[in-house]
Amino acid sequence: MISAVLSGFVFALIVLLAGKYVKGKMAVLTTLLPLGLFVYFISMLPAIAIGPLSFSSSWIPSMGINLDFKLDGLSMLFSLLITGIGTLVFTYASYYLKGHPYLDRFYCYLSLFMASMLGLVLADNVMLLFVFWELTSITSFFLIGFNNDDPVSRRNSLMALAVTGGGGFLLMTGFVLLGAMSGTYSIAAMLSSAEALKAHPWYGLLLFFVFAGAFTKSAQFPFHFWLPGAMKAPTPVSAYLHSATMVKAGVYLLARFTPVLGGHTYWNTTLLIVGGITMLYSAWHAIQRTDLKGILAYSTIAALGTLVFLLGAGTPAAMTAVAVFILVHALYKAALFLVAGILDHETGTRDVTVLRGLRKVMLPVAIAGLLAALSSAGVPLTFGFIGKDLIYEATLHTPAYGYILTGIAVLTNILVLYAGFQAGIRPFAGALPDGFKGVHLPEWRLWIPPLLLAALGLVYGILPMLTDASLVQPVVLSLGGGTPPPLKIWHGFNLVLLLSGVTLAGGCLLYFFRQPAGRFELALQRFDAMSPETLVVKSARGFAAFSGWYTNKLHNGNLRSYVHIIIIFVSGLLVYKLITGVHLYFDMRTNVARLTVYDITVFGIILVAIWKTVSTSSRITAVASMSVVGYCICILFVIYSAPDLAMTQFTIDTLTVVLFVLVLFRLPRFLRINDRKVIVRDSIIAGIFGILISIIALEVMNEPTNKETSRFYAENAYLAAKGKNVVNVMLVDFRGFDTLVEITVLIIAALGVYSLLKLRISSSEKE
Amino acid sequence: MKSVILRTASNYLLPLLLLFSVFILLRGHYNPGGGFVGGLIASIAFVLHAFANTLGNTRRLLRYPPGALIPVGLGIALLSGLAPVFVGKPFMTALWFSTPVPIIGLIGSPLFFDIGVYFVVIGITLTILFTISENIL
């Protein structure tokens, strides 16, 4: 299982290295990877029907973070969708993006994304899941911004990353919280503490974080706005991201945690409300759009809303509906996206008000569009019909507000039907305009994938038992819904059938009497000022403006003001600390009597050096006097037996003086360039800071010291690390990793100095 | 700088100081010293030489730009940390030879780590100082 996940990452690397070949005729061969994985997962189907498969390998065992993978019904369904639709998308893209200069890069991103998605649905450890979760955000950022010379692409991919990444941070908090509450990071192990989790006082907080992650990823209201923007990606990517994978990750997360966290009022009510708002809102938006991809994007959000809504309903019937609807939606939505891509590719437009009569020139595409649209509408004998039946079945039998929920579902479905017809039927219906006479059927690599998907929707619709035992039942089982009754086409005459009829009739009436037009879209734009997207963008701009203002205030490029700010800030902190509970204590006998003649001598030298530093009028003398103070402190270290420290301090001091002299060499030799006011101000600040430091030093002497740490090192230095010099043992052994990082930081500093100065030299030479 | 005394002295001091810095480096595990201080002392030796004999001469003496020592040192430190991984122990576990060597004492991977730090410190210090003084003098 881990090799299945890793293969995508390895493959991405190979594609990059073999870029030249991938760009040519070999592009279609990239399909072999998802195809191979798809066959692999299909071969696991019989095993899954019996029970979940697990794989585990230790990663950071001391923190409970391990490479745990589990293949159960839910992950199986998703894995099949990811690899299956992946296969078709890989094939499709090999023609769709033929001759694109960055085709190799595209396949690299795409396989990275596929591998991340696979890892996400297979992971059984929340930390591992989170790693893949963020990877999908990052790789989808690459994919959405694939046409990176288009500023809109860049903006939208950034927006997608900002929204999903921001949710990701909250999700990580949620996962850490979950780990703390249940004592494990393993999802399988969390199942046993499900009841305890729900009774935990932090349960509400936990839900907030988990929902934040899921809702942003799955584009639930009010975080939905990034998804239509993500349509700037090449169409195969949109098909992949929005039908099967990325946006369903949030739904997957909620489904995965339904057995662990679900069943509580908070959980159900929130999901019902958010899902309900999302589905109605976006379905209504979908029918206002005229851009094919816009329509599909909003109807995707509606479908995601429906899924969240069903998870909120929480009954076993709802779980069955979730399992079926995920499959239904993936099949028809991917097909519709791919069809939209063909239309765009061949005619150069995606405007449904323009596209007409194309069935005459590309019949197979028209069939695919028609079948997919019918499935999305839920016409009998398509898989969509079964899915919709199950949705009504589930909403009708929800304990509370069943009729209201059903009403919302019916309304949404009517609107989704209209949107589906708009995208799948209208471009092919009617008479062919003259402008499209030259359009012809593209190569098979474009139209076979959508046709396959759409046909599968029909096959499953006629023979639902095909999916029953192998796919749907394991999914419902892993959602904690028990074993569902087998799927049936015919339930007899009942309320559900009536609702289906109402949906169909309503949708068809809407389709025949309402023409898509740009004016609807224009009408919507009036509300742009209060849309979530505008608000987010506005707040982001405000934040940027604030940071600009703040940076200009504090970082004005004047070194002297930096030093001021730092010292004043630290003084403020120290004063605060002094006011709130430091009791000063100074005892002549204990504090002064211990002074030796050495101390007093060194102290005297320091005083003289300070006086010289302040009073001299030459910079070089001032630096030299300062270095005397430094050396005196080194001598103090020697007296109080810290030879290591003293040695290092001596050498550092020497080098600092050298550095100072080098820097000051070019400056005027005399100090007296300040006016009196500045001198007074600086001396006040310096005086206050010095006094505070002295008080703190006195206070530190009074505090009882904790010697536990130093005793540990002293005792173990020779036993564990075979060294007698405790300081050195700490540096190279006990805290060796810190030292490694520290020297790395030093290297970065050196590189910074080097490049800054060299750059200045080379740029001044150019002038 | 035009002082003949300083120039002559620095010519004799350079090898002595370098020897001293190596001494400090090697005794670090048992007595005051170590890679960091050793590296600083070695840099001071070179800086002194540069003051007396001009920067160009010191650069010629070093043959390679001092920055080249940085990757060398970092590589040694990393390898010494990675060495235990090859015998199946966690990263940065100390490995020791069983018999002590005269003067130095026991030899183990921490010593090599220290040697890595030594080179990195020389590289960094000289890079910074040489760049700045080149820019100014």
Side-chain angles (χ1 to χ4, degrees), chain A residues 707-721 723 726 734:
Chain A
K707 292 215 161 120
E708 208 171 303
T709 322
S710 51
R711 203 186 308 127
F712 168 81
Y713 284 126
E715 280 169 2
N716 286 288
Y718 194 67
L719 295 177
V726 180
F734 286 127

Side-chain angles (χ1 to χ4, degrees), chain A residues 17-87:
Chain A
L17 294 177
K20 209 168 63 185
Y21 303 100
V22 174
K23 276 186 225 172
K25 287 205 181 341
M26 311 280 272
V28 75
L29 287 185
T30 52
T31 311
L32 289 177
L33 172 78
L35 186 66
L37 289 173
F38 184 64
V39 172
Y40 167 77
F41 282 113
I42 286 273
S43 73
M44 307 280 257
L45 265 179
I48 296 306
I50 299 163
L53 293 175
S54 299
F55 170 87
S56 185
S57 170
S58 64
W59 182 15
I60 315 174
S62 54
M63 293 175 77
I65 300 170
N66 290 312
L67 299 173
D68 297 332
F69 291 99
K70 193 170 97 178
L71 187 61
D72 63 353
L74 186 64
S75 22
M76 185 59 156
L77 175 66
F78 272 93
S79 304
L80 286 177
L81 286 178
I82 292 162
T83 53
I85 295 183
T87 307

Side-chain angles (χ1 to χ4, degrees), chain A residues 221-281:
Chain A
F221 186 87
F223 307 111
H224 62 279
F225 52 85
W226 67 266
L227 199 145
M231 288 294 150
K232 280 308 276 185
T235 307
V237 172
S238 312
Y240 201 33
L241 256 61
H242 300 141
S243 64
T245 52
M246 158 92 163
V247 296
K248 287 240 176 77
V251 173
Y252 168 80
L253 185 82
L254 294 176
R256 176 54 80 206
F257 282 101
T258 297
V260 180
L261 299 174
H264 193 282
T265 329
Y266 289 176
W267 171 276
N268 289 358
T269 321
T270 316
L271 291 188
L272 274 177
I273 292 173
V274 172
I277 292 177
T278 307
M279 59 201 258
L280 254 187
Y281 173 87

Side-chain angles (χ1 to χ4, degrees), chain A residues 643-644 647-648 651-652 655 659 662 666 721-725 728 732-733 736-737 746-747 750 754 757-758 761, chain B residues 24 28-34 36-37 40-41 70 91 94 96 106 113-114 124-125 129 131-136:
Chain A
D644 268 290
M647 234 155 76
T648 316
T651 44
I652 291 274
L655 284 171
L659 203 65
L662 284 176
R666 276 292 176 86
K722 302 195 193 334
K724 288 179 190 150
N725 177 3
N728 189 270
V732 299
D733 198 303
F737 195 75
L746 276 179
I747 291 169
Y754 182 78
L757 291 178
K758 282 283 167 188
I761 291 171
Chain B
I24 290 284
H29 214 54
Y30 303 96
N31 294 298
F36 194 75
V37 189
L40 287 175
I41 292 174
I70 296 177
F91 183 62
W96 293 96
L106 279 174
F113 185 81
D114 229 4
I124 293 168
T125 324
L129 281 172
T131 318
I132 290 180
S133 56
E134 229 168 35
N135 212 10
I136 285 160

Side-chain angles (χ1 to χ4, degrees), chain A residues 570-609:
Chain A
V570 173
S571 306
L573 279 185
L574 291 179
V575 167
Y576 172 77
K577 189 69 204 155
L578 281 181
I579 293 170
T580 60
V582 167
H583 54 96
L584 281 177
Y585 165 86
F586 187 79
D587 187 355
M588 279 304 271
R589 263 170 311 170
T590 52
N591 287 16
V592 179
R594 271 188 284 168
L595 284 178
T596 60
V597 67
Y598 302 112
D599 294 329
I600 294 166
T601 317
V602 171
F603 194 61
I605 298 174
I606 290 180
L607 276 183
V608 173

